[in-house]
Amino acid sequence: MTSLLIFTFVMGYLAITLEHPLKLDKAVPALLMGTLMWGLLAIGFNQGWFSIVDSHGHIFQIDQPDTDAQLYGFKANLMHHFSSIGEILFFLIGAMTIVEIIDLHRGFGIIKKVIKPKSKVKLLWILGVLAFVLSAIIDNLTATIILITLLRKILVRHKYRVWYASMIIIAANAGGAWSPIGDVTTTMLWIGGKVTALGLSEYLIIPSLVCFVVPFFIATKLKPFKGKAMRKEMIIDEEAERLLSSKTMLYVGLAGIAFVPIFKGVTGLPPYLGMMFSLGVVWLVSEYVRPVKNLPKKQKHLYSTHKALSKIEFSSILFFLGILLSVAALESLVYGSIGGEEVGTLRYVAEKVSAAIPNMDVVVLLLGALSALIDNVPMVAATMGMYTFETDSPIWHFIAFSAGTGGSLLVIGSAAGVAAMGMEKIDFIWYLKKIAWLAAIGFISGALTFVFIEQFFYS
């Protein structure tokens, strides 16, 4: 049964990585994997085939005298994991809704006024800086989609746009790595108590900046970024031009998201409550702000938060649910003993990896490189179950950096890359030949910068 449970995880993981060839939404195998693994876990536990370990290291076995207590322990363990997962999911739902409200009022259309230079190099840097900053505030995926949408209104030739879109991926992933709300993985580490918002930003902003600046500086020497951009007239968003609420909702929305770490710092409450508070404020403002003068009642629904909620990609939320349930099942299954103590599967694997590769920096770098092939969400979720380092340990910071920026090595290695690939039809092999080396230089440069900071500045 243990082998069957692990086999289910491997096959589900494989189906997720083959999402595009299979033409199957990755939420499907993730949900099947997560629910099936807990089903197998329950059957095996009820039959007394294996034991369960909870987050406190308590072991539960069905063959012990107090059977009811053991069954309660199993269910309590499941509820503990589901509670932790729910915090992440509600946080993401709140953040996604705020972003959709801003977009509904064409708030992001204001950004296009910043993109004016005709020089290819200046255009590259402006897009890069915007991607780096925006991804830290609204997340790297959303920032990438917004900037590529604007890019398509600026450059005529597709052969030039793919270069800019690819560089946006690098900048967005680098920008998301140093912010607790910039990437799903950093959000998971933050909500999971592995890092603090201040600690993550303090120690990762410089490595992330290096990861962004170095490849961009090299790119300015390349032929595709020489000369003037072949611009077409900026397509006027008539809706954004006539809306009175664009600036208001942009500023209120971004301020609401940025306020979440402050809310946690002041109250000590979980981040999802801060995000729900911000969503309530943004929703309240959106109900009373005037999109246009004398808006007819029959058109009010066009700017309603209910419409924003309908645009959220709940398939992504369900994907995270399935993945995190699967990892929680592996974390709960007792697989072996370390030093005479029975431990869960992930902890067991972590101990074996540490014994084989004693340098954790090397291990984390390998995890970052693997995140280009395998989704970084389950990888980070697995490390959270594998290791027990203290909050704001340099290892957790390095994991956040590597998982976030390592995805830039391949176009399919991050959510931002997959989005750009779909929007601009970026060829996998083209990206591998033309961009991967730039991303690798940025990744290694940022990693070396982090190691330097770790050696001299971590207390």
Side-chain angles (χ1 to χ4, degrees):
M1 180 64 75
T2 301
S3 299
L4 179 59
L5 195 145
I6 295 174
F7 176 77
T8 301
F9 179 78
V10 172
M11 294 306 296
Y13 209 106
L14 183 62
I16 290 169
T17 60
L18 296 176
E19 174 189 17
H20 297 291
L22 293 176
K23 296 181 179 179
L24 179 68
D25 192 306
K26 59 185 178 182
V28 176
L31 284 173
L32 292 174
M33 175 175 65
T35 52
L36 184 57
M37 286 179 68
W38 273 99
L40 293 171
L41 202 62
I43 293 171
F45 178 79
N46 290 332
Q47 296 299 319
W49 292 334
F50 45 65
S51 307
I52 298 297
V53 58
D54 67 9
S55 59
H56 300 292
H58 300 145
I59 304 296
F60 297 95
Q61 293 174 305
I62 198 66
D63 57 352
Q64 292 183 6
D66 194 352
T67 302
D68 289 340
Q70 304 312 311
L71 287 173
Y72 176 79
F74 180 89
K75 293 179 180 178
N77 183 45
L78 172 59
M79 289 307 299
H80 167 78
H81 285 295
F82 192 78
S83 175
S84 299
I85 293 169
E87 288 188 22
I88 296 172
L89 299 187
F90 276 103
F91 181 94
L92 294 174
I93 289 172
M96 288 179 174
T97 306
I98 291 175
V99 169
E100 290 297 343
I101 292 173
I102 296 172
D103 188 55
L104 205 62
H105 290 263
R106 299 295 193 275
F108 295 117
I110 296 172
I111 298 172
K112 73 181 181 182
K113 297 178 181 178
V114 180
I115 309 175
K116 294 180 179 179
K118 295 183 179 180
S119 165
K120 287 184 178 179
V121 170
K122 289 183 179 179
L123 179 61
L124 174 66
W125 281 109
I126 287 178
L127 289 172
V129 170
L130 284 172
F132 187 84
V133 174
L134 279 177
S135 62
I137 302 174
I138 59 174
D139 82 60
N140 48 13
L141 172 60
T142 306
T144 300
I145 293 173
I146 291 169
L147 291 176
I148 292 181
T149 300
L150 296 177
L151 180 65
R152 297 173 77 173
K153 299 177 180 180
I154 296 171
L155 291 181
V156 177
R157 297 182 182 178
H158 177 263
K159 69 176 183 178
Y160 291 127
R161 283 206 312 271
V162 291
W163 280 91
Y164 284 94
S166 299
M167 297 305 293
I168 286 173
I169 295 171
I170 295 175
N173 286 336
W178 66 273
S179 167
I181 52 180
D183 187 270
V184 175
T185 54
T186 57
T187 299
M188 288 166 55
L189 290 167
W190 182 41
I191 292 178
K194 305 302 182 183
V195 300
T196 62
L198 183 61
L200 185 73
S201 301
E202 180 182 357
Y203 289 107
L204 286 194
I205 187 166
I206 294 177
S208 297
L209 196 59
V210 170
C211 181
F212 150 57
V213 170
V214 171
F216 267 67
F217 178 76
I218 296 173
T220 59
K221 310 299 179 182
L222 302 179
K223 186 176 179 181
F225 300 106
K226 295 290 185 181
K228 293 185 178 181
M230 295 295 293
R231 295 168 61 95
K232 56 184 175 182
E233 291 299 319
M234 180 73 82
I235 298 173
I236 300 299
D237 187 341
E238 295 181 357
E239 186 73 4
E241 291 295 320
R242 75 185 185 90
L243 287 183
L244 305 175
S245 57
S246 297
K247 286 185 178 181
T248 300
M249 296 316 303
L250 175 66
Y251 299 148
V252 171
L254 294 184
I257 295 174
F259 176 73
V260 175
I262 300 173
F263 181 92
K264 183 183 186 302
V266 172
T267 65
L269 293 172
Y272 76 94
L273 284 175
M275 187 58 77
M276 289 296 109
F277 172 78
S278 292
L279 173 58
V281 172
V282 175
W283 193 335
L284 177 66
V285 173
S286 71
E287 289 294 314
Y288 292 99
V289 72
R290 288 192 309 164
V292 295
K293 292 181 179 179
N294 302 320
L295 179 69
K297 287 186 177 180
K298 63 179 181 180
Q299 292 185 11
K300 191 174 181 180
H301 73 281
L302 297 176
Y303 306 99
S304 168
T305 298
H306 294 288
K307 184 174 181 180
L309 285 166
S310 69
K311 295 173 68 179
I312 293 176
E313 291 187 19
F314 275 99
S315 63
S316 297
I317 299 295
L318 294 175
F319 164 70
F320 297 137
L321 172 62
I323 281 292
L324 296 174
L325 280 174
S326 303
V327 172
L330 285 180
E331 187 179 346
S332 300
L333 172 66
V334 172
Y335 189 77
S337 62
I338 300 294
E341 177 190 1
E342 288 187 306
V343 295
T345 307
L346 296 180
R347 175 75 183 281
Y348 184 82
V349 171
E351 295 290 347
K352 292 299 182 182
V353 170
S354 297
I357 309 175
N359 190 320
M360 275 303 299
D361 287 341
V362 175
V363 173
V364 175
L365 274 175
L366 291 175
L367 289 174
L370 281 174
S371 69
L373 288 171
I374 304 171
D375 197 286
N376 58 1
V377 171
M379 289 195 66
V380 171
T383 61
M384 291 173 68
M386 289 167 66
Y387 301 113
T388 56
F389 302 110
E390 68 276 8
T391 300
D392 271 339
S393 162
I395 298 300
W396 291 125
H397 292 161
F398 202 17
I399 287 173
F401 172 82
S402 295
T405 60
S408 302
L409 298 175
L410 295 176
V411 71
I412 60 170
S414 65
V418 172
M421 184 182 186
M423 293 178 73
E424 283 300 330
K425 303 296 185 289
I426 301 174
D427 182 71
F428 177 86
I429 301 300
W430 179 89
Y431 187 97
L432 185 63
K433 290 180 178 179
K434 305 291 187 180
I435 305 297
W437 67 276
L438 286 169
I441 290 174
F443 175 62
I444 294 170
S445 299
L448 291 175
T449 303
F450 178 86
V451 171
F452 176 81
I453 293 174
E454 178 186 7
Q455 293 295 323
F456 293 97
F457 295 100
Y458 272 91
S459 56

